[in-house]
Amino acid sequence: MSEWNQDLLATLGELADEPIEQTGPTSDFVYIDISSIDRETKTISDPKPLMLSQAPTRAKQVLRAGDVLVSMTRPNLNAAALVPEQLDGAIGSTGFHVLRSRWLNPGFLLALVQTQSFIDAMSSVVQGALYPAVRPRDIAAYSFSFETPAQQTRIVEKLEELLSDLDAGVAELKAAEKKLAQYRQSLLKAAVEGAFTAEWRAKHTPTETGAQLLERILTERRARWAGKQLAKLKEQGKTPPKDWQKKYPEPVQPDTTDLPELPEGWVWASVEQIASDERYSLSIGPFGSNLKVPDYRESGVPLVFVRNIRSGIYGGEHTKYVTPEKAIELSAHSVSAGDVLVTKMGEPPGDADVYPDDQPSAIITADCIKIRCWRDLMSPVFLKSIINSHIGKRQIEPMTQGVAQKKVSLGRFRSLAVPVPPTDEQSLIVRMVDEADRDAVAQLTAIELGLKQSTAQRQNILRTAFAGQLVPQDPNDEPVSVLLARIRAERLVRASS
């Protein structure tokens, strides 16, 4: 075990103090910014070749092989990486704190900034709400138990041995996770294209085809509108004007361009056609001008965010609320059990979920879309499956607008085409998908647990390494205290010269 006392603690600032040129590029160059870092593998996975004329204002730091990059933005995400030989001379963003030291092994340094101790220390000094970041001096002030260069090398070698086995296990888990995702997509494809129920369909003749069902509902929808208009005119003591029925707001037709042929008995409909005819049955959440962060409360009527739709988790300790009075003001955007919710923003937009029946009525935020299905026409769970399938994804992608933050256009979303099978076949599909997906969900849960355990094990290994307990000291090494005293004395000489 290493000598472990306060006298052997050093800071990154006094050991990783080699100067970093801030001259930026002088010709075409390779740029490394925070998006270039793979946070899971701690590698530079996406360096960007740029012309000199394309140089961002942040492209300043001239990097050398062996430099360790630490993102100063959102330190809890731990975007860190080692600059490899092939990227020597690349230009780094000023969003990185670059650690370069003749006293610290680059592998040792990279492992150090991955420890939970470092992450927690940086997260505790973050400044800013919209752009949370730490300062270079915060990173420089981080203290740790110093080791001799020889001991650092031994620690790095042992870490590589242990972590390579752990990484191999993680890679297997991620491969299984990817296969499960592919399986679930193929499951949805078979369901929404009719392959899942092909055998059942061959033995059963529906009492009402999807086309007949849609026609009946659309006729009923028009009749209900006409009845409401006549009742309103009668209440006002007015005679129906000429051609008053032509004012009926016909729901938009589906855009079926490049969509697959449907099974016999099925028909395409637009989202607007299958939505309830009640007011605001198809809507997005309140815009920012109507709902701001100061409107949030710790109790009241819950809000639904993109994160809720993606995770399928509603309520809980992280829920935000608005007052009942504010909820009444935003009633056009209320959601109830059975409403289909779709992410309007995010990467990528267009994920769908059904608001569960064990949750109270809520209000959707501006980045969500709500669809309230016509009860006798479309199962909410079936609609969720359609939107999450390839049929939904391939239509939603061209409906997105924007560069920095893509958003689904609600106007175009209304025409999104959805297949309408007979109601009894819809029910069968929902049941079959649920049964087939249940085992996949259980496997996915097991994989997620395995990944969490791997993350915890990685931190355990790193903690052991930097507590001096991973490899024994070599008694022939120069004492750490002597080396550290010499380094500090050299710093004083340099500072005074």
Side-chain angles (χ1 to χ4, degrees):
M1 179 174 177
S2 299
E3 306 165 76
W4 180 261
N5 59 56
Q6 287 295 115
D7 294 334
L8 303 182
L9 290 179
T11 65
L12 283 173
E14 63 183 334
L15 293 174
D17 63 346
E18 294 293 306
I20 312 298
E21 294 177 61
Q22 301 290 324
T23 56
T26 56
S27 60
D28 295 351
F29 65 105
V30 175
Y31 182 50
I32 300 170
D33 63 5
I34 294 170
S35 68
S36 304
I37 305 297
D38 184 323
R39 296 199 309 267
E40 292 189 2
T41 61
K42 308 302 176 188
T43 58
I44 300 169
S45 61
D46 186 27
K48 302 170 177 63
L50 296 177
M51 295 186 292
L52 181 61
S53 60
Q54 297 174 305
T57 56
R58 281 178 165 264
K60 296 293 184 186
Q61 308 198 81
V62 182
L63 305 177
R64 294 290 173 243
D67 286 349
V68 172
L69 310 180
V70 181
S71 170
M72 291 185 284
T73 305
R74 295 182 174 85
N76 61 303
L77 299 180
N78 197 225
L82 179 71
V83 177
E85 289 287 346
Q86 62 268 29
L87 289 176
D88 185 83
I91 304 299
S93 165
T94 53
F96 291 117
H97 185 65
V98 181
L99 299 173
R100 183 186 297 169
S101 172
R102 59 191 172 124
W103 300 110
L104 293 173
N105 181 305
F108 180 86
L109 191 49
L110 180 63
L112 177 65
V113 298
Q114 292 178 60
T115 61
Q116 196 62 49
S117 172
F118 177 81
I119 296 170
D120 290 345
M122 294 304 103
S123 298
S124 68
V125 292
V126 159
Q127 296 186 336
L130 295 177
Y131 196 71
V134 295
R135 299 160 297 185
R137 69 187 188 191
D138 296 322
I139 297 175
Y142 180 74
S143 63
F144 62 100
S145 182
F146 182 53
E147 300 283 3
T148 65
Q151 181 69 353
Q152 290 176 39
T153 299
R154 290 189 286 270
I155 289 172
V156 170
E157 289 173 351
K158 189 63 176 179
L159 282 174
E160 288 176 349
E161 175 190 336
L162 296 175
L163 295 181
S164 62
D165 291 342
L166 192 62
D167 288 342
V170 169
E172 289 181 7
L173 287 171
K174 287 190 174 295
E177 187 178 44
K178 185 176 180 180
K179 287 181 180 178
L180 272 176
Q182 293 170 342
Y183 165 75
R184 297 180 81 185
Q185 271 300 311
S186 65
L187 191 66
L188 291 179
K189 183 177 188 295
V192 302
E193 288 188 355
F196 227 33
T197 46
E199 185 176 338
W200 178 90
R201 200 164 46 250
K203 299 177 181 178
H204 297 80
T205 301
T207 55
E208 185 178 47
T209 66
Q212 291 167 339
L213 171 63
L214 178 63
E215 183 179 2
R216 175 171 64 80
I217 295 300
L218 292 179
T219 299
E220 182 181 330
R221 183 180 190 141
R222 176 184 282 272
R224 281 172 52 162
W225 174 85
K228 290 178 182 178
Q229 297 304 307
L230 289 173
K232 186 187 300 183
L233 291 169
K234 183 177 180 180
E235 184 179 331
Q236 296 171 349
K238 296 180 180 179
T239 303
K242 183 180 180 181
D243 296 331
W244 66 274
Q245 291 173 312
K246 292 183 179 179
K247 294 183 180 180
Y248 172 63
E250 196 78 49
V252 66
Q253 293 291 314
D255 181 0
T256 59
T257 306
D258 297 327
L259 292 179
E261 184 178 347
L262 293 176
E264 185 177 352
W266 291 33
V267 69
W268 290 108
S270 69
V271 161
E272 191 170 49
Q273 286 177 324
I274 61 95
S276 168
D277 65 343
E278 64 183 272
R279 196 178 183 205
Y280 304 122
S281 62
L282 181 62
S283 68
I284 59 172
F287 290 99
S289 59
N290 293 335
L291 184 63
K292 298 181 173 66
V293 171
D295 292 318
Y296 296 168
R297 298 289 185 272
E298 295 305 313
S299 63
V301 178
L303 293 168
V304 172
F305 296 87
V306 163
R307 62 176 179 267
N308 299 118
I309 300 172
R310 288 194 192 282
S311 67
I313 300 173
Y314 304 86
E317 59 179 327
H318 300 299
T319 303
K320 296 298 181 184
Y321 302 82
V322 291
T323 64
E325 293 75 19
K326 190 69 175 179
I328 292 173
E329 179 186 331
L330 302 172
S331 60
H333 310 293
S334 66
V335 295
S336 302
D339 286 345
V340 178
L341 308 179
V342 184
T343 58
K344 181 174 176 278
M345 303 178 189
E347 289 296 333
D351 288 335
D353 193 33
V354 178
Y355 193 65
D357 55 13
D358 61 352
Q359 292 295 315
S361 294
I363 301 292
I364 55 169
T365 50
D367 44 12
C368 309
I369 298 172
K370 174 192 75 180
I371 309 162
R372 186 163 294 167
C373 296
W374 193 292
R375 192 173 64 178
D376 298 329
L377 177 58
M378 175 68 68
S379 157
V381 178
F382 186 62
L383 178 59
K384 165 192 167 181
S385 298
I386 295 167
I387 295 173
N388 286 335
S389 76
H390 70 296
I391 286 178
K393 299 300 184 188
R394 68 189 290 184
Q395 294 182 81
I396 289 173
E397 184 177 359
M399 293 178 181
T400 57
Q401 301 171 332
V403 179
Q405 188 175 44
K406 291 187 176 182
K407 304 176 184 179
V408 177
S409 165
L410 183 62
R412 296 181 66 187
F413 185 80
R414 295 176 188 276
S415 64
L416 184 137
V418 297
V420 181
T423 53
D424 51 353
E425 191 170 357
Q426 281 188 50
S427 300
L428 177 63
I429 290 170
V430 167
R431 188 167 66 252
M432 292 174 70
V433 168
D434 179 65
E435 291 173 356
D437 195 47
R438 203 172 297 153
D439 183 54
V441 170
Q443 292 182 54
L444 187 60
T445 301
I447 289 172
E448 290 172 348
L449 176 60
L451 290 172
K452 287 180 181 178
Q453 291 172 335
S454 297
T455 299
Q457 180 63 12
R458 175 181 294 275
Q459 285 299 326
N460 287 337
I461 292 171
L462 291 173
R463 183 169 58 253
T464 301
F466 291 98
Q469 300 170 342
L470 191 64
V471 293
Q473 284 280 1
D474 187 334
N476 296 316
D477 286 351
E478 179 181 19
V480 175
S481 55
V482 174
L483 176 58
L484 193 53
R486 191 170 76 250
I487 293 171
R488 285 169 173 161
E490 287 182 12
R491 283 178 57 84
L492 286 174
V493 170
R494 280 205 310 247
S496 60
S497 61

